[in-house]
Amino acid sequence: MEPIEILKQFNSCYVNIQAIAQNENWLLLIADKKIDSEAATHLGDVLHYLGEAMGCVEEIVEIKFNQESEV
């Protein structure tokens, strides 16, 4: 899998997880204390670390793009 494909997959995951974090049902589960309140924190952590991983892959994609454009 090429770095750009990895980045696209990460981005897709990020968008999907972000949609869950903003979903009304998810927010109600937390507000109604039907699930552990730490679940929201964990989901935020997932988004944070996924974003960090995406940043690392973006650097590789940019370097590869710059090398290809110099040729």
Side-chain angles (χ1 to χ4, degrees):
M1 184 181 286
E2 292 290 319
I4 190 71
E5 294 167 332
I6 293 170
L7 186 57
K8 287 178 183 177
Q9 288 293 325
F10 276 150
N11 189 54
S12 176
C13 290
Y14 189 93
V15 168
N16 290 334
I17 294 169
Q18 188 174 42
I20 292 169
Q22 296 171 348
N23 181 277
E24 182 179 347
N25 290 327
W26 172 256
L27 297 172
L28 286 173
L29 285 171
I30 294 165
D32 293 343
K33 299 184 187 257
K34 301 221 176 181
I35 58 173
D36 189 337
S37 61
E38 286 191 27
T41 301
H42 296 318
L43 194 60
D45 290 346
V46 168
L47 288 170
H48 170 75
Y49 288 116
L50 188 53
E52 292 293 315
M54 288 170 55
C56 294
V57 177
E58 283 174 346
E59 289 179 23
I60 295 168
V61 170
E62 286 177 16
I63 290 168
K64 186 173 181 178
F65 176 78
N66 288 338
Q67 288 173 344
E68 289 175 357
S69 65
E70 289 176 359
V71 174

